[in-house]
Amino acid sequence: MRPRTWVLVLAAVFALLQLANVTGRDTPDTKNYLSYALSLRGEDKHAAAARTIDYACSGKASITRRNQSVDVIRFHRPDPTARVLAACRAQEWQAVGARLEAGQTGGHTVPYMPERFMRIFEVRPGYPVFLLPFITVLGVTWGLWAASVVVTVAGGVLAFLILRTLRTPTALCLTGQALFYVLPCGTTAMRPMTEGLLLTLTLTAVWGCALALDGRVRTGTLLVCGALAALFTVKHSQALFLGLCLAGAGAAIGVRRRRAGAPYGRGLVAVTAAGCCGALGTLLLAKVLHYPSESESLQDLLTGHFSRPDRAHPWSEFYHLQLNFWVEWLRRQLWEPFFVAALAAGAWGALRRRAFGCFLLAAAFTGILTQAGHPDINIWGDRLIVLAWLLPVVGVPLLLEPVVRGRVVVPMQDRIKQAHSMR
């Protein structure tokens, strides 16, 4: 089969496997994004709240039922679905109803949390806009599932395209696609949150870097700029981090080339300029639009989503927490070192393509920056640092390239050999 056929087969297999878990993937943030999308469709606060609460509670009831079915003590007890649904709905409506009656009806999101906290989600329209056509055509449950499948499949295809642009053997390009699906980045992208779009758009920027360095400067630069612009609408902090990291990586490569007496290259200059413009544009536009500042985000972190009074000296507490967090994080990673080993292998492979490898490292480093901005060890699934998994997704196939090239005959190589033999 042709490479494109293998890409479609991998994507189809992944999509079929996701039918095993259509519900139960949501997190508390899902309600905010879903209610935002429903309001864009024209539904009022009460209707949007009813749909989001039903979706969240149905997922909770499904997980409870599945857990009880394999519980060695309670597996023979009656189905808890109805009881869990009723309790969950009552609890959710108690909080939402009180805030709606108190007049917290502004913005697009349903007031599940205090107004200051909901303001953080109000400035992220990108993901709700992405969800809108899916939930309109397929309904809430299947729409969220389909949207997650599409964005995750797209991430895997982008991993394939990046490696293809680097002229990696087809077998390793497909390996990169498969790694995106099976590593935690694929699992996290399937959850109805912004992380799936963040991963896909960041990979789009990385593909743009590969194209620009390969001589297709205009196309590559447009991809980088488009990805940064889209990231601003999804989560503007990621646009800032990615712009800064790409600009820093480009500057580092430029310094090295200058010392070696080599030309900078149009592609390098274009990507570096795009990163600088993206970072500066993000800062200026966030200021003009009065987006929540870093100090507001810090208060959100330290006050438990504004459930406690603001801290008088938040930065000193933040730095103290930062130190404690990374010590504990490293201790846990050394206990189960798969993530650290994957990062090391990915970095080793990426730096075999020095210029591109620097940009890949820069993109993956945004995951570290995101986690550093939210040093909360209790956040589920390490989803904040998930962007760092892009390093092994692309880097490990590059590390395996010397082993595979020459030993595995991929279809395109076989055709080239046949053509040469006929000449």
Side-chain angles (χ1 to χ4, degrees):
M1 292 189 291
R2 293 181 178 181
R4 71 184 66 175
T5 306
W6 281 112
V7 171
L8 294 175
V9 167
L10 276 179
V13 170
F14 173 80
L16 288 173
L17 293 176
Q18 303 317 301
L19 290 170
N21 293 279
V22 177
T23 60
R25 298 178 186 266
D26 57 295
T27 71
D29 288 353
T30 301
K31 293 182 296 185
N32 303 321
Y33 295 118
L34 177 57
S35 64
Y36 197 131
L38 291 170
S39 71
L40 292 177
R41 200 173 67 173
E43 299 194 18
D44 59 25
K45 287 287 189 295
H46 190 276
R51 285 179 175 273
T52 52
I53 288 173
D54 284 349
Y55 174 78
C57 291
S58 295
K60 183 176 182 180
S62 175
I63 292 174
T64 303
R65 178 185 58 79
R66 284 151 50 188
N67 288 341
Q68 179 177 301
S69 69
V70 292
D71 188 290
V72 295
I73 303 298
R74 300 178 298 165
F75 68 91
H76 58 282
R77 294 182 182 179
D79 188 340
T81 300
R83 173 177 54 82
V84 173
L85 272 174
C88 177
R89 286 169 177 162
Q91 182 181 8
E92 293 289 342
W93 274 113
Q94 182 179 7
V96 172
R99 292 192 177 96
L100 288 175
E101 291 178 3
Q104 189 179 331
T105 58
H108 292 285
T109 55
V110 171
Y112 296 104
M113 296 288 285
E115 191 170 1
R116 286 175 69 186
F117 178 74
M118 300 308 299
R119 172 64 179 160
I120 296 173
F121 294 91
E122 290 289 337
V123 300
R124 299 176 182 176
Y127 185 59
V129 169
F130 172 75
L131 291 178
L132 187 56
F134 292 96
I135 63 174
T136 300
V137 175
L138 300 174
V140 169
T141 300
W142 285 101
L144 287 176
W145 178 87
S148 299
V149 168
V150 167
V151 78
T152 310
V153 164
V157 173
L158 282 166
F160 175 91
L161 291 172
I162 291 168
L163 292 164
R164 191 74 164 173
T165 302
L166 299 173
R167 296 175 178 80
T168 307
T170 304
L172 291 178
C173 296
L174 294 169
T175 299
Q177 181 185 1
L179 284 174
F180 184 85
Y181 296 150
V182 302
L183 289 177
C185 47
T187 305
T188 304
M190 273 301 300
R191 290 195 170 261
M193 301 182 295
T194 57
E195 277 71 20
L197 265 183
L198 295 182
L199 285 161
T200 300
L201 291 172
T202 303
L203 279 173
T204 302
V206 173
W207 186 29
C209 294
L211 289 170
L213 294 174
D214 192 49
R216 288 168 279 184
V217 179
R218 183 177 180 180
T219 303
T221 306
L222 286 175
L223 282 174
V224 174
C225 293
L228 290 171
L231 281 170
F232 181 85
T233 68
V234 178
K235 193 175 182 182
H236 69 280
S237 61
Q238 176 62 14
L240 175 62
F241 291 157
L242 184 58
L244 288 173
C245 288
L246 291 181
I253 298 167
V255 169
R256 181 180 176 278
R257 288 184 176 181
R258 182 178 181 181
R259 289 178 178 176
Y264 293 118
R266 290 176 57 241
L268 175 64
V269 173
V271 171
T272 305
C276 290
C277 292
L280 290 174
T282 298
L283 289 173
L284 292 174
L285 198 54
K287 188 73 173 177
V288 170
L289 296 176
H290 304 290
Y291 278 14
S293 63
E294 64 276 4
S295 61
E296 188 74 354
S297 178
L298 190 58
Q299 291 290 356
D300 168 53
L301 172 72
L302 297 175
T303 60
H305 304 314
F306 305 109
S307 61
R308 298 176 178 82
D310 283 7
R311 304 289 181 146
H313 306 287
W315 286 105
S316 60
E317 294 187 25
F318 176 74
Y319 293 134
H320 187 183
L321 177 62
Q322 193 78 232
L323 177 62
N324 293 347
F325 172 85
W326 288 111
V327 170
E328 176 62 17
W329 183 88
L330 183 60
R331 186 190 68 80
R332 297 188 184 191
Q333 297 305 316
L334 294 177
W335 183 13
E336 298 178 291
F338 176 68
F339 180 43
V340 175
L343 289 182
W348 187 2
L351 292 177
R352 295 188 68 252
R353 309 289 185 96
R354 292 194 177 180
F356 170 78
C358 287
F359 284 120
L360 177 60
L361 282 166
F365 187 67
T366 60
I368 306 296
L369 290 177
T370 301
Q371 182 69 81
H374 302 79
D376 186 351
I377 205 72
N378 296 314
I379 291 181
W380 176 90
D382 296 328
R383 64 180 178 88
L384 293 176
I385 207 171
V386 70
L387 285 153
W389 282 102
L390 297 181
L391 185 56
V393 165
V394 180
V396 168
L398 293 175
L399 180 62
L400 297 174
E401 187 176 9
V403 178
V404 173
R405 193 180 291 278
R407 292 191 180 185
V408 177
V409 179
V410 295
M412 187 58 67
Q413 290 176 331
D414 191 35
R415 293 179 187 176
I416 292 173
K417 289 180 180 179
Q418 290 177 4
H420 282 301
S421 65
M422 293 174 64
R423 290 180 180 177

